[in-house]
Amino acid sequence: MENQILDVLHLQKSALLRLSTSSASDRISKLRKIESYLMQHKEELCDALYADFKKPASEVVIAEMLGVKREINHTIKHLKSWMKPQSVSTPLMLLGTKGLVQYEAKGLCLIISPWNYPFNLSICPLVHAIAAGNAVILKPSELSPATAAFIQKMISSLFDKSEVAVFEGDASVSTFLLEQKFDHIFFTGSPAIGKVVMAAAAKHLTSVTLELGGKSPAIVGPEVNVEEAAAKIAWGKFLNNGQTCIAPDYLYLHEKNYFSFLKALEATVENFYGKNVAKSKDYARIVNRRHFDRIVSLVEDAKEKGAKVLFGGNTDADDCFIEPTVLINCTPDMRIMQEEIFGPILPVMSYQDEFEVTANIRQGDKPLALYVFSTSTEFNHYILDHTSSGTSVVNDCLIQFGHNELPFGGVNHSGIGKSGGHYGFVEFSNQKSVVIQRTNLLKNFYPPYGVKVRWMIDFVLKWL
């Protein structure tokens, strides 16, 4: 495997100039091939994701295929304009020159993708990298092997290895890849592994995009449509069995609607998945036994420290099944309030005023997402103005990931860099400054620095 990787790296380095100088139409053609393959192999992809963790076909279309197709079409529509050098205004000191920002490919790129949305979070960064004119090595997660095999088959049938190559395997493959010198690394995963990636990149001064996670809060205000908010939070939390980096991780409920909201939430879960969730065809599973045991241990720790299961709580280790579960009486000392859950468990806390909520959120690491539900514009603005997060949504969940005109990414602990639409193209590009000199006015400032030159320097210093 190591020799194969080194051979591909050699091929890709040899192809960098050709790729970086390729036209918009060439790059668009490559993106269309991905889209065409995806549409022709829809059922195969659905089967792969069901094999990995019983992801319902509808969720595959919504959360895997639709996102990739949307990103491809948006990029195709705008790529020619993105690739054009962008003119900037000229400062008075440089009168007579012309300034441009030229977008050039970073070069050799490594994408390490996660298991929770293994197709979407592999191919969307790849779309951006191809659009920017890069060569790419893609390492999909070994925890979703069927999808990784699908990606390998797709890429090998569409691209020469000098342009895009996929390497499957365990963490040792990622470790070896990270030892190599890349021009950019795009990693999606946990903050803990993000630190490992960043440390490896630092050895080569390689730029990184880190799409991480963290504990993303949802705050329900005193003035709110309870049933609507409950449905949106239930969808955002339990989609993909809670294995979503921007899922609401824990919930603050105003004491005014605490009981009415929880009642509506329980009714919504039953409406989504029926009385026996284990038999629902619309509910995914935890990816493997290790993650199942980790989530169960979080619940047990919380219960030992005073939390109560309001509803849900049923599990089946053999099926990696965890029922949608709501915990009440949660406190900060519980592990479930300290670690990212990444599963269908929703801890709930009540509050009296927004000052208390924002102060508590600011004490923790900055989250990838923050959700606020209220019909009060004043309340919403207060929450947004007194917290920091990578993304935020008012009166819904998850939809920020689908907005092509907004940057997606975290802040500090929850991520570095942005992706999505033009921001993804820029992330895989070097924004090269170009100044074109069309006069020689600066000769008036050349030495020797006589009286006339000093007068001009003083004049510029005074009036610029």
Side-chain angles (χ1 to χ4, degrees), residues 336-351:
I336 205 161
M337 291 304 302
Q338 299 168 358
E339 303 174 20
E340 185 177 7
I341 300 169
F342 227 63
I345 314 298
L346 184 61
V348 177
M349 294 171 291
S350 66
Y351 72 96

Side-chain angles (χ1 to χ4, degrees), residues 52 123 226 306 378 380 452 461:
D52 282 331
I123 306 305
V226 169
E378 182 180 358
N380 294 334
K452 180 181 177 181
L461 179 63

Side-chain angles (χ1 to χ4, degrees), residues 68-174:
V68 171
K69 193 172 188 298
R70 182 202 72 236
E71 202 65 51
I72 289 173
N73 290 333
H74 182 77
T75 301
I76 288 172
K77 181 179 179 181
H78 297 284
L79 185 56
K80 289 183 179 180
S81 64
W82 292 349
M83 289 176 63
K84 290 179 180 177
Q86 304 297 309
S87 297
V88 297
S89 59
T90 302
L92 185 60
M93 184 68 184
L94 293 178
L95 195 64
T97 67
K98 180 180 181 181
L100 301 168
V101 177
Q102 182 175 328
Y103 295 97
E104 64 178 15
K106 283 191 172 178
L108 190 59
C109 297
L110 171 64
I111 296 173
I112 302 178
S113 58
W115 53 264
N116 59 324
Y117 291 93
F119 186 77
N120 186 322
L121 298 180
S122 295
I123 306 305
C124 280
L126 178 63
V127 168
H128 301 146
I130 291 172
N134 297 283
V136 181
I137 286 181
L138 171 60
K139 165 61 176 70
S141 173
E142 68 275 15
L143 299 186
S144 46
T147 308
F150 176 89
I151 293 171
Q152 170 73 268
K153 179 181 175 183
M154 179 182 81
I155 295 302
S156 62
S157 69
L158 298 180
F159 295 96
D160 186 84
K161 290 181 179 179
S162 64
E163 297 179 347
V164 184
V166 176
F167 285 99
E168 300 176 76
D170 59 18
S172 65
V173 177
S174 296

Side-chain angles (χ1 to χ4, degrees), residues 272-291:
F272 281 2
Y273 306 113
K275 290 184 179 296
N276 188 342
V277 182
K279 293 184 177 180
S280 173
K281 296 180 179 179
D282 300 318
Y283 192 66
R285 296 296 187 267
I286 300 301
V287 69
N288 59 29
R289 182 61 184 267
R290 180 169 65 87
H291 283 281

Side-chain angles (χ1 to χ4, degrees), residues 419-433:
S419 63
H422 182 249
Y423 300 93
F425 171 82
V426 171
E427 198 75 4
F428 280 96
S429 302
N430 173 42
Q431 299 176 68
K432 182 166 67 178
S433 300

